[in-house]
Amino acid sequence: MDDFVVFDGVGKIYRSGEVEVEALHDVSFTVGKGEICVIVGQSGAGKTTLLNILGGMDTLTTGHVILEGQDISGYSQKRLAEYRRHEIGFVFQFYNLIPNLTVLENVEIATQLSKNPMDAATVLRQVGLGERLKNFPAQLSGGEQQRVAIARALAKNPLLLLCDEPTGALDYQTGKSILSLLQETARKQGVTVIIITHNSALTAMADRIVRIKSGTVTEALLNPHPVPVEKIEW
Amino acid sequence: MNSSMLKNIVREIRGTLGRFLAILAIIALGVGFFAGLKVTRPSMIETADKYLAKANLFDFRLLSSLGYTEKEVEELSELDGVEYAEGAFFADAVFSVGGEERVMKAHSLTEKLNRLSLVAGRLPESAEECVLDSRSFGEADIGKVITVAETDGESPFAFREYRVCGIASSPCYLNLERGNTKLGNGTISAFLYLLPEGFDSEVYHEVYLTLTEKAPLLSEDYDKIVDKIRDKASDKNSEVSLARYSSLKSDAEGLLASAKAEYEEGKAAYLREKEEAEEELSRTLAELDEKEETLAGQEQTLNDAISKLNAAKETLTARLEETEGQLAVLEASGATTTEAYFTLKAAREELSRTLEETDASLTEAEAGLAAVEEGKKLLAEGRESYNEAKEKAEASFAEAEEELADAEKEIADREDEISAFAEPAVYLFTRDDNAGYSCYNSDTKIVDGISRVFPVFFFLVAALVCTTTMTRMVDEGRTQIGTLKALGYRSTAIAAKYLIYSGSAALIGCVLGFFLGTWLFPLAIWKAYDILYGFAPLEYVFDPLLAALSVVVSLLCSVGATALSCRSEFTKVPAELIRPKAPKPGKRIFLERIPFFWRSLSFLRKVSLRNIFRYKRRLFMMILGIGGCSALLLTGLGLRDSISGIVSAQFDRITVYDCMVNFGESMDGEKQKAFLDQNAETLEDAVFVWQGSVDLMTEGATRSVTAVASGEEKITKFIQLHDGDTPIPAPKKGECVVDRKTAETLGVKVGDTLRVRDIDLREFSVKVSGICDNYVYSYLFLSYDTVADYDYGFRAAYVFIKEDCDQHEAAAGMMSSEGVVNVTVNRDIRERVNNMMKSLNFIVWLVIACASALAFVVLFNLSNINITERVREIATIKVLGFYPAETCAYVFRENLILTAFGVLFGMPLGVLLHRFVMSCITIDIVSFENVISPLSFLAAILLTFLFTLTVELVMRKKINAIPMAESLKSAE
């Protein structure tokens, strides 16, 4: 159970001409299936690099990343695209909805790709947007847009839900409701969720906490008593 | 502007080189096309101007039916405004050049005017040398001898043979037209120049004038100068010609008067001589008669005397016998001594003596009679000689009378002649009446016509491209603008970045386009016209006004567009600018109101459609750009169709005969049959016609065409008259069929009446019974009955050669038939026209190339903008797991749909554009067919899509290179 996601000695070096920047250095941690994991770190700690690698958006330089027993670190670009398509659901800080598609269509664009999708409208009703299926993103508030993004990620029925600062662009209350939505759905559907944030307060809601600093893991621990989001203050 | 701002601009350019180059390229294209086409006519005119100035081409050409002597030429040269005048000779003749017969026009070389440009060899130095037309002859012909064919009349040439000493082009013949003649098939095939001494003529045939005032070729100033002097020159021409006429007439009248006096004198002398001779004769006759009478009297007297003498002799003899008897009695009686006897004896003596005397008288009388006979003989001789003399005199009288009658008749003839000696016909021609010159003028206008539409397109698209690009750029730089504003930079300083960015791209593009355009376009078009007017290398023209205009227009397109895009951004406060721009809201488009259509689409298609209709400006630009491009492609390809279609339309559908035969004499029934019999082996069929050059006239318009008059219905087998698919029957008496171009030029419809003037200036009217398709040359078809009165004769024939015969061999065979002057194989003409059309192809390819370049720039730029605008979206869908191919399809589907729209818009536009360009292009001998083949539509469509796909291929890399991490960034 503990080794649903395995990071094993992952290093990432960016080369830009003569300059080499080591973004990640010997990052190792694991996440169990169905867990909510919060990866927390300051700006420039390597969070995004880690997310990119886990999300199949970037390759790593050393080490291995294993998802449900499959080593994705050796994947080709095409295989990576397939990986993103079927295994990963992504929630962006800025929602990244397609402005020209309605709410429903924004979800459908994802379900269309998936092998085993959920019904788009059902998912949207689950995230509380049953009334806004025909609206365009621009007609929604930030929180609502993020709900759509979460619905889009969930509807693919992914193995892993990756959230990049999901509350970064939202106000406090809305951010909270989004996090609680994530927590709820993770629990209900048993989806493994990895949330990346700079906000340490969020660690309270996590099953597992990974702290990173300067490109390496400083702490990886299990939270024996995760609390509901509503109870967290920051 | 400080240095960091400048650095910023330079870096911006370097960083967005593709965009910078796109603006540069579209401006370069627009300016190149605009300036290139605009400058082509001035360049062509400049080229001709230099050439003609160097050659010192005449301004006026004067003709008089009486010709000119040195005196008149001098008088003409003294006219106000005239710089110089020179007389010249010319004559059309059939020349034999290396065994080939050619109808050529011979001119005399002029000293200071119309100078030839030698291509090879030298100018004539002796009267027996000539220079030949460089369009028909080459260096190899130098040294050959050309022979003037024998003619019935007086030869205008001093010699029969001329040696070729050079090959040259003449400023009087700018293009291929060599004019018409009464000889041969009516068309002059080449010119030749001799020294004036090479002609045998007492008077100059024409006088060329140049004017003191000069102005550039084909300019309004030139027309003004010409208008100012034309009438004066024309009047002077009449005046000197009339003066010459009067002096010639009075000379003739003087001569006549002295001739008359001489005649009268001669006549009087004759009458006098005649009288004298007659008198003499009658005197002789009287003498003879008198003599005859005398002789008759003498004869009578003599005869009377003889008969008296005879009677006396008888009496005497009787008396003698009686006396003898008496004596015998007496003697018998012996009375011999008696007195009686003696008396008797004396009587006998007496009687014998009287008898003797009588006999003597008788003999005398008889001798007299003989003398009378002699006299009679002499008389007869006299009579004879009298008769002879009389006859002779009468003959000489008749002769003299005849002579007198002749003289009288001659005098009468002279009198008639003098009274019929009409005032001379005089003509004044300007340069515009010179075929080459006026064709050149109209041909340069074609290019000008094209330059009126095409560049507008390019500039419109350029402006759109610039606006879109710069708007995008300003949008991208929002935060930067906001920051700079917050830092305290003035709006103008910030805007300067964008203005300089687009301005510098436009300026570089403008300069590049201007110089490339003004170099390449005239060159290409001049090359295309080379076959028609290869008289000099092209002169390049720098037109400062055009350059300034190009700069202004390109700056308007770029900087103007930028300023417009900036304005909206700069009115905002910095805080607003620093915040990301609210994304343009999604909107339902009208297509969504058609549920059955909308529902059937996958939403990838939906999103494409929404994108297309959401960005109106891009839609407009794309449709205009791509539509314009496909329209241009279609125009170019259509031009090719129209041009290449002509040859087959003309020679496969209209003038389908194999050969045209020209005869030196009119072919009546007998001769036709002889010709057909002689060539029975090779000829399939033939129709005899009259063919000649005529002028058609309506109110205000005149046009020279080739008239074909046939007496047979089957003419339509050889020249198939039709209007579209409807055949037109051969014209009947008093009717005519003209080609469409002529009808349009003259503005006549079926049922209208045309006045026709033949080469001898006789006029008649015909009713237009049909307007036919025709593309090469212009024709007037008549029934021979219409012109039968003019005695033109059947001097030409169209023939079909039997399938299995070689056309040239058959033509050569016909050449040797009696009366045949020359034979033209239609296939050769087809080849010639074909070659001419090929030169136009060059222009077509130029248009196609430019259209392609335009398509590329527009598509590239739009795709580029489309992609940069949507980097985040693209990164997002990549993160969502779109495969690269799907990602590209997601982006490019729009382009494909827009291309389809563009093509839909472009095709009808192309048809219109094609029609317009066709109406601008008028080459004198060719009228174009207004068709675009379905294949060209297909090609234009496919090419446009091909360009879209090629651009996509390039852009695919760019899309694939978009890092997915872009999706994590904030919207900007």
Side-chain angles (χ1 to χ4, degrees), chain B residues 56 59 77 79-85 209-214:
Chain B
N56 201 17
D59 290 303
S77 74
L79 184 69
D80 235 14
V82 170
E83 183 188 47
Y84 179 69
L209 302 181
T210 53
L211 303 179
T212 321
E213 254 185 291
K214 306 284 177 196

Side-chain angles (χ1 to χ4, degrees), chain B residues 365-383:
Chain B
E366 264 158 11
L369 210 56
V372 167
E373 280 307 314
E374 193 67 22
K376 264 184 172 169
K377 211 189 258 173
L378 278 174
L379 182 71
E381 272 168 24
R383 276 213 191 273

Side-chain angles (χ1 to χ4, degrees), chain A residues 37-193:
Chain A
C37 171
V38 170
I39 298 175
V40 68
Q42 294 300 308
S43 264
K47 295 188 309 267
T48 304
T49 311
L50 202 152
L51 181 83
N52 283 350
I53 290 169
L54 185 56
M57 291 149 67
D58 207 347
T59 53
L60 41 76
T61 316
T62 53
H64 296 277
V65 174
I66 294 154
L67 179 72
E68 210 180 23
Q70 295 206 28
D71 189 349
I72 64 162
S73 38
Y75 279 6
S76 65
Q77 284 299 327
K78 179 153 198 307
R79 190 74 185 76
L80 275 177
E82 225 168 278
Y83 166 74
R84 292 194 300 271
R85 191 173 186 135
H86 300 305
E87 332 287 20
I88 303 293
F90 217 102
V91 177
F92 301 92
Q93 181 180 1
F94 301 107
Y95 339 125
N96 291 21
L97 297 179
I98 294 167
N100 262 330
L101 293 182
T102 60
V103 167
L104 182 65
E105 286 161 353
N106 259 295
V107 178
E108 279 175 340
I109 200 172
T111 58
Q112 231 192 9
L113 298 173
S114 186
K115 280 189 287 201
N116 180 28
M118 294 159 72
D119 179 58
T122 314
V123 181
L124 279 166
R125 270 190 285 276
Q126 274 173 24
V127 300
L129 291 172
E131 305 298 307
R132 324 229 33 186
L133 298 183
K134 296 258 157 100
N135 286 87
F136 283 99
Q139 296 165 317
L140 303 181
S141 70
E144 283 171 325
Q145 288 191 46
Q146 195 61 295
R147 277 165 197 272
V148 177
I150 291 169
R152 178 172 69 184
L154 285 172
K156 277 165 81 175
N157 233 341
L159 286 174
L160 188 62
L161 195 62
L162 285 177
C163 309
D164 178 28
E165 296 275 17
T167 60
L170 299 173
D171 60 86
Y172 181 74
Q173 274 308 324
T174 318
K176 265 188 147 176
S177 68
I178 289 295
L179 286 173
S180 91
L181 174 67
L182 278 173
Q183 198 177 30
E184 242 171 73
T185 43
R187 297 272 182 265
K188 216 186 288 171
Q189 295 181 14
V191 183
T192 310
V193 179

Side-chain angles (χ1 to χ4, degrees), chain B residues 202-246:
Chain B
E202 283 173 15
V203 290
Y204 291 123
H205 303 125
E206 57 189 349
V207 174
Y208 289 108
L209 302 181
T210 53
L211 303 179
T212 321
E213 254 185 291
K214 306 284 177 196
L217 196 69
L218 301 173
S219 63
E220 273 178 32
D221 287 346
Y222 181 77
D223 289 343
K224 269 185 211 152
I225 294 170
V226 166
D227 283 343
K228 207 160 63 182
I229 305 183
R230 189 200 340 245
D231 289 343
K232 276 199 280 174
S234 187
D235 292 346
K236 186 80 182 172
N237 188 21
S238 309
E239 187 192 312
V240 296
S241 298
L242 268 179
R244 180 164 153 72
Y245 164 75
S246 312

